[in-house]
């Protein structure tokens, strides 16, 4: 193409004759028939294109669809290699869209290296401005993204500490009470010994204790009304047999599964003058057993929380491996229990037949955290959070569903934009879904999409069952 021909293009109309000659010497014309692909999204950006004639269509890949963003026949429009002006090695420049020839097209084509060198040499001030804009935005996004992660980590840590504090405090209280009950048992046993109890009586009490503790372990759970009625029955029985503190002893016996028939068995097994002390001794035994059960439950709860935190953080596992997605979902729910609260019902609809998939488990846990956290915020403390897994062709489908008001129609196209958020100031940076999208799509070659209507919003993550060829 001649310098005079280049001057007719609006991009080059202000260049000098020498500059136009330089371009004409290094660039050339290239033709594409109708239907041909001029450049493909994601390919290395090797050339800078300027349309000379014909009609083109530019499209972006959005999940599973190619969405047309531009259709034009304007002579002089340009595309491709727009970051070639940056220093070599600092940016992996790839085409950000695909271009297809609608009709027969002709282009002026300039190699990306020549285009980048030309821009840097001819327009140094503009390059400084463009570089400042590019690196400033990139660095700002990196800093804000790191702060987002730290904020999320702080919230998770606070929630985990709250969850750990409850069973730990329960274990401390139960241990203190257990010490008092053991002292009481020792005291009652001393009183029984002072009465010069017969060996046969002591043996009968020991057998009763074993039987009652076994009964307590198998005792059915009573409703509040049933427990109250039984406490009244036992209190009347205790008063009728001269037991002291019947109203205090009755709830302990009821909790241990004791009924009037059992009290009759106890009365028949010991002498009448020892019945009061024997009943209190057995009450202490029941309380001791219940307190040890409470300590065991609290310790198990702490252990499960630590296990969930370990699973969530993945600190003892490789960064990339074959994983079960359910393990990450479960550990994330445990980590967010404090935020989910009691007003939100968690429903798990898992397909346990799903195979393991290759993934970065720590990064996927961040995706689950962002999606569940957003779902909880959307419901405002009341609703149903559903976690669903299934097989979708050659991919695993994970759905995080909420019963919130849904995403407004006018905001749906912006959901995955960096820094876009509907939360109040200081409550969100708008990077959660952007980070999740990049983790799913860029890191795992998967897909992140959503459907939304009032009462049913579903964020859907699709992850491949096999390693991508590039890996």
């Amino acid at each position: 193409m001649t310098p005079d021909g280049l001057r007719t293009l609006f991009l080059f109309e202000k260049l000098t004759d020498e500059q136009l000659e330089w371009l004409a010497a290094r660039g050339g014309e290239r033709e594409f028939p109708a239907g041909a692909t001029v450049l493909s999204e994601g390919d290395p950006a090797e050339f800078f294109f300027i349309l000379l004639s014909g009609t083109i269509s530019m499209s972006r890949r959005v999940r599973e669809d190619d969405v047309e963003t531009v259709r034009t026949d304007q002579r002089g429009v340009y595309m491709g290699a727009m970051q070639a002006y940056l220093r070599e090695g600092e940016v992996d420049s790839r085409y950000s869209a695909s271009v297809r020839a609608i009709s027969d097209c002709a282009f002026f084509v300039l190699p990306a290296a020549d285009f980048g060198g030309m821009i840097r040499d001819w327009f140094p001030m503009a390059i400084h401005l463009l570089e400042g804009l590019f690196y400033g935005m990139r660095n700002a996004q990196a800093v804000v993204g790191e702060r987002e992660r730290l904020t999320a980590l702080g919230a998770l840590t606070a929630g985990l500490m709250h969850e750990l504090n409850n069973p730990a405090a329960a274990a401390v209280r139960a241990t203190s009470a257990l010490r008092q009950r053991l002292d009481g048992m020792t005291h009652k046993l001393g009183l029984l010994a002072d009465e010069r109890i017969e060996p046969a009586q002591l043996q009968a009490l020991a057998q009763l204790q074993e039987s009652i503790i076994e009964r307590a372990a198998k005792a059915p759970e009573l409703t509040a009304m049933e427990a109250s009625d039984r406490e009244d029955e036992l209190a009347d029985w205790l008063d009728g047999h001269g037991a002291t503190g019947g109203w205090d002893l009755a709830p302990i016996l009821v909790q241990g599964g004791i009924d009037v028939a059992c009290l009759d068995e106890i009365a028949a097994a010991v002498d009448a003058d020892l019945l009061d002390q024997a009943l209190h001794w057995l009450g202490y035994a029941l309380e001791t057993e219940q307190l040890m059960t409470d300590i065991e439950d609290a310790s198990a709860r702490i252990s499960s929380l630590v296990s969930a935190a370990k699973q969530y953080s993945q600190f003892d596992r490789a960064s990339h491996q074959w994983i079960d997605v359910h393990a990450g979902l479960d550990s994330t729910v445990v980590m967010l229990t404090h935020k989910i609260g009691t007003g939100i019902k968690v429903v798990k609809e898992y397909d346990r037949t799903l195979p393991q998939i290759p993934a970065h488990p720590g990064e996927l846990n961040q995706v689950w955290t962002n999606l569940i956290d957003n779902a909880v915020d959307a419901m405002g403390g009341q609703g149903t959070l559903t976690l669903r897994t299934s097989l979708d062709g050659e991919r695993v489908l994970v759905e995080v569903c909420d019963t919130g008001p849904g995403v407004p129609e006018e905001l749906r196209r912006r959901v995955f934009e960096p820094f876009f958020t509907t939360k109040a100031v200081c409550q969100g940076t708008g990077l959660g879904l952007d980070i999740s999208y990049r983790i799913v799509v860029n890191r795992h070659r998967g897909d992140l999409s959503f459907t939304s209507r009032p009462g049913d919003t579903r964020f859907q993550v699709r992850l491949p069952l096999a390693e991508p060829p590039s890996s």
Side-chain angles (χ1 to χ4, degrees), residues 294-315:
D294 291 343
I295 293 173
E296 182 180 13
D297 291 343
S299 300
R301 175 62 178 163
I302 292 172
S303 179
S304 66
L305 285 169
V306 172
S307 177
K310 184 178 179 182
Q311 170 72 26
Y312 180 85
S313 65
Q314 301 288 325
F315 72 87

Side-chain angles (χ1 to χ4, degrees), residues 28 115 142 170 172 181 193 214 223 234 271 276 278 281 317 322 326 402 449 461:
F115 173 73
V172 171
R181 300 307 178 272
E214 183 178 355
T223 65
L234 296 193
D271 293 340
D276 181 51
W281 182 56
R317 301 175 66 183
W322 291 84
H326 304 113
D402 68 73
S449 60
V461 177

Side-chain angles (χ1 to χ4, degrees), residues 374-388:
N374 284 348
V376 171
D377 284 340
M379 289 184 284
Q382 297 290 332
T384 300
L385 170 68
T386 303
L387 305 178
R388 185 181 298 116

Side-chain angles (χ1 to χ4, degrees), residues 162-210:
H162 178 85
E163 292 299 319
L164 285 171
N165 180 67
N166 289 338
V172 171
R173 290 193 300 269
T175 302
S176 176
L178 179 60
R179 181 177 291 109
Q180 296 176 9
R181 300 307 178 272
L182 288 174
D183 289 341
M185 284 186 68
T186 303
H187 177 68
K188 288 299 180 185
L189 187 59
L191 292 177
L192 287 170
D194 287 343
E195 296 291 339
R196 301 295 186 266
I197 186 172
E198 295 293 333
Q201 289 279 294
L202 189 59
Q203 184 177 6
L205 277 175
Q207 291 175 348
L208 276 173
Q209 178 184 353
E210 293 178 4

Side-chain angles (χ1 to χ4, degrees), residues 133-304:
L133 177 65
F134 176 80
Y135 290 115
M137 291 183 62
R138 188 179 68 175
N139 294 339
Q141 185 167 347
V143 170
V144 175
E146 188 65 26
R147 178 57 61 87
E148 174 101 341
R149 294 184 180 91
L150 289 174
T151 302
L153 178 61
L156 286 173
T157 301
L160 179 60
M161 292 304 101
H162 178 85
E163 292 299 319
L164 285 171
N165 180 67
N166 289 338
V172 171
R173 290 193 300 269
T175 302
S176 176
L178 179 60
R179 181 177 291 109
Q180 296 176 9
R181 300 307 178 272
L182 288 174
D183 289 341
M185 284 186 68
T186 303
H187 177 68
K188 288 299 180 185
L189 187 59
L191 292 177
L192 287 170
D194 287 343
E195 296 291 339
R196 301 295 186 266
I197 186 172
E198 295 293 333
Q201 289 279 294
L202 189 59
Q203 184 177 6
L205 277 175
Q207 291 175 348
L208 276 173
Q209 178 184 353
E210 293 178 4
S211 174
I212 287 174
I213 289 176
E214 183 178 355
R215 182 195 295 260
K218 300 177 182 179
E221 186 174 352
L222 302 178
T223 65
M225 185 64 70
E226 290 172 338
S228 178
D229 291 342
R230 184 170 293 185
E231 286 176 14
D232 291 340
E233 292 177 5
L234 296 193
D236 292 340
W237 189 98
L238 292 170
D239 290 341
H241 287 75
T244 59
W247 284 104
D248 293 329
L249 185 58
I252 299 172
L253 298 177
V254 170
Q255 190 175 0
I258 305 300
D259 54 17
V260 171
C262 183
L263 290 180
D264 289 336
E265 294 178 17
I266 297 173
V270 298
D271 293 340
D273 56 342
L274 296 177
L275 180 60
D276 181 51
Q277 296 176 17
L279 287 171
H280 282 84
W281 182 56
L282 292 173
Y284 279 126
L286 281 174
E287 275 196 288
T288 299
E289 188 67 23
Q290 291 162 6
L291 288 169
M292 287 192 293
T293 300
D294 291 343
I295 293 173
E296 182 180 13
D297 291 343
S299 300
R301 175 62 178 163
I302 292 172
S303 179
S304 66

Side-chain angles (χ1 to χ4, degrees), residues 322-395:
W322 291 84
I323 66 163
D324 179 358
V325 293
H326 304 113
L329 288 168
D330 288 339
S331 64
T332 303
V333 169
V334 173
M335 295 294 289
L336 293 175
T337 298
H338 178 55
K339 178 163 187 177
I340 293 173
T342 58
I344 294 178
K345 179 182 179 183
V346 179
V347 177
K348 298 179 181 179
E349 299 177 0
Y350 290 167
D351 180 359
R352 293 291 186 178
T353 65
L354 291 178
Q356 292 188 333
I357 62 171
H360 299 270
E363 295 182 7
L364 283 185
N365 285 345
Q366 186 176 4
V367 174
W368 311 142
T369 300
N370 291 337
L371 296 183
I372 293 174
D373 183 76
N374 284 348
V376 171
D377 284 340
M379 289 184 284
Q382 297 290 332
T384 300
L385 170 68
T386 303
L387 305 178
R388 185 181 298 116
T389 63
S390 60
L391 189 63
D392 183 18
E394 296 299 317
R395 297 185 294 183

